Amino acid sequence: MVKSSSAPANPAPAAAAMAPLPTIPPETLPETYEAALSELERLVGAMEAGQLPLDRLLDTYRRGAALLNFCRGRLESVEQQVKVLEDGQLKPWNPT
């Protein structure tokens, strides 16, 4: 008779999926969204080429994930700045 367990067979992938995105140390932050996006595009191209050694691939992936997090943060910040106060409520800005 085989004992069954309700615990997942391999919990590591679930834990990895819930790990926070890497952050970029302040001294290495790009100055602009455009600079971060440009570097991210370059890193993706290098990864897609499939010519990076495994250790370098992992470092490149981590840097790319951190740059993506940086870009998302900048976009969210700009989105908040674009909202305007209308009739006492914040609404998305609509340039008409």
Side-chain angles (χ1 to χ4, degrees):
M1 179 173 193
V2 176
K3 291 183 181 180
S4 64
S5 172
S6 62
N10 188 0
M18 299 177 104
L21 287 176
T23 56
I24 302 173
E27 63 275 3
T28 62
L29 284 174
E31 290 190 27
T32 64
Y33 169 84
E34 291 79 9
L37 186 59
S38 178
E39 182 181 350
L40 182 57
E41 289 172 344
R42 184 181 56 75
L43 293 176
V44 168
M47 290 172 55
E48 287 177 343
Q51 300 300 316
L52 296 174
L54 186 58
D55 289 343
R56 179 102 189 269
L57 179 65
L58 184 57
D59 290 342
T60 300
Y61 178 83
R62 286 181 180 142
R63 175 69 177 176
L67 287 167
L68 180 61
N69 192 33
F70 172 82
C71 288
R72 284 181 178 161
R74 291 297 261 241
L75 288 173
E76 288 172 6
S77 174
V78 168
E79 183 179 301
Q80 291 300 316
Q81 293 175 34
V82 171
K83 291 183 178 182
V84 294
L85 187 59
E86 184 178 300
D87 295 329
Q89 295 181 357
L90 283 177
K91 296 185 179 182
W93 179 61
N94 188 6
T96 54

